[in-house]
Amino acid sequence: MKVFKEVFLNFKKSGFMNLISVGTIAITIIILGSYFIANLAVNHFLSRVENKIEIVVFLKDGFAAEKMKNTITELESLNEIEDVKFISKYDAYQEFVKDKEILTILQSFESNPLPDSIKIKLKEYTPKNIDKIINILKSKEGIEEIQYGGKEIENLLNILNVIKIIMIVIGIIFIISSLLVVSNIIKLTIYARRQDIYIFKMVGATNFFIKMPFILEGIIHGFFGGIIGWVILYVIINILLTEIKKETGLDFTGFYVFTPSFFSLKFLIETIIAGILLGFFGSLLSLGNIKEK
Amino acid sequence: MKVFKEVFLNFKKSGFMNLISVGTIAITIIILGSYFIANLAVNHFLSRVENKIEIVVFLKDGFAAEKMKNTITELESLNEIEDVKFISKYDAYQEFVKDKEILTILQSFESNPLPDSIKIKLKEYTPKNIDKIINILKSKEGIEEIQYGGKEIENLLNILNVIKIIMIVIGIIFIISSLLVVSNIIKLTIYARRQDIYIFKMVGATNFFIKMPFILEGIIHGFFGGIIGWVILYVIINILLTEIKKETGLDFTGFYVFTPSFFSLKFLIETIIAGILLGFFGSLLSLGNIKEK
Amino acid sequence: MIKFNHVFKIYEKNIKALEDINFSISKGEFVFLTGPSGAGKTTILNLLYREDIPDMGSVFVNNEDISHISDRKLPFYRRNIGFVFQDFKLLFDRTVFDNIALPLVITKTEKKFIKNKVEEYINKTGLCGKEKLTPWHLSGGEKQKVAIARAFITNPSLILADEPTGNLDDESSWEIIKMFEEVNKEGTTILFATHNKELLQKMNKRVIRLNKGKVISDESI
Amino acid sequence: MIKFNHVFKIYEKNIKALEDINFSISKGEFVFLTGPSGAGKTTILNLLYREDIPDMGSVFVNNEDISHISDRKLPFYRRNIGFVFQDFKLLFDRTVFDNIALPLVITKTEKKFIKNKVEEYINKTGLCGKEKLTPWHLSGGEKQKVAIARAFITNPSLILADEPTGNLDDESSWEIIKMFEEVNKEGTTILFATHNKELLQKMNKRVIRLNKGKVISDESI
Ligand SMILES: Nc1ncnc2c1ncn2[C@@H]1O[C@H](COP(=O)(O)OP(=O)(O)OP(=O)(O)O)[C@@H](O)[C@H]1O
Ligand SMILES: Nc1ncnc2c1ncn2[C@@H]1O[C@H](COP(=O)(O)OP(=O)(O)OP(=O)(O)O)[C@@H](O)[C@H]1O
Ligand SMILES: [Mg+2]
Ligand SMILES: [Mg+2]
């Protein structure tokens, strides 16, 4: 109870410093939030690109589909593999004849010229995984050709992976930076009150009694900083989406990152938690070495 | 001279606050710097994608190339257009026969089946620009077909433009945020010294005399923050590039953003200037409403 | 109760604030500490409060060498001592009431008790009507009175007073002195640093005279 | 030189710090201001320094109503006045030397001249050997001496002193008083707030007595 009174008093008396502390947390939340959303969007796009990549294995004509079953089961049991699909020459034909131009070409053949094939999707398209699967496939009988886009695809995948690494590094930089900035701000507010802290010690207050209000204050500032940051982020993103729609006609409001329900509840809670954690660890970091006088 | 002595004294006496101020500017420089490099990289990739996009106009067979000259000159004079290239059916044949498979196909024809064509590159691939050029082309005689990738390309271009807008918005958010954080930090250091400022006023110091040291201090902090930020950024990026090379075999060190000469001089100067501007405007913003006592 | 045993305190730049200080004070005594500016009065009080520790020698309070009090126990040691600081050391963003109540608040005393106690001392020191002001809005003497009330409020067994009447007019001074005498009669030990010669003469108590960090006399007048 | 004309100063919560104050002081006078704690002494000095402005009435200095001095001219007005603040108002992160030199430094005086001047006043106030210490390391009386030296250093034509001997022993007090008398003889006007009755009696100067914000007597003793 007493501790809450201390916090409240601190609030009242140093309105200016509270504003700065809350404001800084809000700014950090905006930066972290933009990063978070950008990261979601990038991952979303990347996975869409990756989803289009598949390894296609054309099988030798006349090779019994039955014998292939074993290979497929073996492949399905591998960790790296997301999905394996057998496509018979008949299925392939049905698929291709949908296009009229190809139909005429196909009709010029006596029989169905298309081979049986297997489509393989990987969980992660790293060069290592691709190599491994290709090597396994090469060791099997009855395979005519393996298609996976070759160097082109490998380059694309490399670039995607680089983008992922960069996003992670940027994320780490941002989180550390935020923590440092917030703890710096809190350090300064503590420094500005060093005289008061000294007086508290002089009249016999314990360290716990002195530090507790600062930590609670950090948490409260984090709470409000989180809410404010969320509101600003929400406004910016809404303006941005409207602008984008006007400019290019693309409607991202349906995109799952921005659906109202996600953005207005789960994301709100996340930003508030982020704010509170920032405030908490920020004040904890700063209190390590209180210097009074 | 006196002003410099003030600055020096401030430096000596509040080492702790200087550290925080310089540190915060360094952090902001790191964030802005990562953004800047990410932005360069994104723009580089985008322009590479855009460079591959072109409008290809196939001309009617037998239509006199001479008559086309006018159209080409007209196109070249348009603002939106970067480059116009006429490719005769002979040139196209020479290009295609490089591929042996296509050669066999082409040889099955009696004469050269390829048409004359014009390749058009735009400066900016906005839907508006594309529409305009298509409409102009459609009004001309002698055109068989216009190829520009249709909806597919338009979608891609839209996404690229959205990415550009998002990068700009993020940039603005970052710059404003940095300025606010730095000015908050400086405001707090001023607040911590409000008693001294009050005493200065009491003995008859002018406002200019009181404010000047803070502004100079902001600039000096910005200078050191810029250098420190650059060093950290340099280390992070070097580690990142080595990691990427190990992980994916891609060597980005040749990529123009990261060439040593660019990174170690032009970019260093830019970060220092950014730091100084941050410190300068940060302190200017904070000094607006000095409250003493 | 208090014993200084060959105490030296030497600050940076070889400033000898205290040199070989020896004296004892029994429980319930009322002792004045006097001497010119810079003689070491405040330094002695600071050593007793464990705000500082001696460079040589030891300071005993209740037979305990206070240099060895751990950081964790220090706050509890200080709670038994009332200190009227020479520069007041008030919280400038709290009211007079809150400043006086501070030593009780940090020990989580009952609210009602605090209220009664604070009001009692506000009356005794003549601060009525100033309860809700912050020290910004007080005159020098009023600030001093707040500092005095804060030192008395916990009924400490030892009161250290550093020039507590320096900013007060004669009338207020005598009222404050009466407060000291009263608690002294109830058993509180008092160590009172002052420049005021009139006070020393009229009070007729034991006086320890310092000069340049040394005890030059220790007698009753 | 100084004229208070029906001056009122009422603080928030209806605290009447000054009520209808009227007096004049001619150039070169040495006037004491006395009265119990909270009488309004500091308030009068603050009004003269334009640290505050009256709520009613006007304060004239050299026939100018100082309420009307613009913010831009205020620093220059203050440079003609030396103020010994009751709470010293020293810069705690500068040395004694720099604190005393401050009023000269802000007017960009020549370095050598500053050095000589500061050394002169360090000697006069008896602060020798403390030049390089910061106020953290000074005793109460030493801080007061620094505040006094700073007020004298610009040879101001008016010196306002707020209880400048409150933390000093008798001997130092008299040395300081001698400094005031000296500059007074050279023509400096002095307004000196104090509680010290002995001082008032021995000095035999004009004394303005305040009580509860009103002038209750204004005569020479
Ligand atoms: N932290 C410190 N560092 C260096 N010197 C100090 C420090 N504290 C006090 N001194 C010096 O020690 C001496 C004694 O100081 P102290 O404050 O005990 O004097 P005092 O008797 O209280 O004087 P006053 O009556 O003026 O308050 C002084 O010369 C002072 O300059
Ligand atoms: N800023 C303020 N706000 C409210 N009241 C104030 C303010 N400054 C002074 N007062 C009140 O005005 C009255 C006169 O104060 P002043 O400081 O002038 O007294 P003083 O004569 O200097 O007393 P002392 O001898 O104790 O220094 C006091 O009652 C004080 O509480
Ligand atoms: Mg002292
Ligand atoms: Mg006063």
Side-chain angles (χ1 to χ4, degrees), chain A residues 173-229:
Chain A
I173 292 178
F174 278 10
I175 289 172
I176 293 176
S177 302
S178 310
L179 212 57
L180 284 178
V181 165
V182 170
S183 90
N184 277 354
I185 287 278
I186 293 176
K187 228 178 242 166
L188 279 180
T189 65
I190 292 173
Y191 181 75
R193 280 195 223 136
R194 66 200 179 284
Q195 195 103 34
D196 289 8
I197 292 174
Y198 175 68
I199 293 173
F200 265 88
K201 287 203 174 170
M202 278 299 115
V203 298
T206 54
N207 262 327
F208 178 79
F209 190 92
I210 293 170
K211 286 185 178 180
M212 210 49 212
F214 286 102
I215 291 177
L216 273 184
E217 213 176 87
I219 292 173
I220 293 173
H221 287 180
F223 177 79
F224 287 111
I227 292 180
I228 294 171

Side-chain angles (χ1 to χ4, degrees), chain C residues 140, chain D residues 42 86 162:
Chain D
T42 304
Q86 194 171 9
D162 201 352

Side-chain angles (χ1 to χ4, degrees), chain D residues 124-126 170-180:
Chain D
K124 272 191 186 169
T125 49
D170 282 8
E171 206 184 319
S172 315
S173 292
W174 284 112
E175 268 162 34
I176 298 298
I177 295 292
K178 259 189 274 165
M179 281 172 60
F180 279 95

Side-chain angles (χ1 to χ4, degrees), chain A residues 43-66:
Chain A
N43 280 334
H44 177 80
F45 280 116
L46 294 190
S47 67
R48 263 171 49 172
V49 171
E50 281 184 351
N51 258 327
K52 291 201 174 145
I53 302 173
E54 36 189 28
I55 299 176
V56 182
V57 184
F58 295 108
L59 303 177
K60 282 204 179 110
D61 207 15
F63 193 79
E66 286 308 311

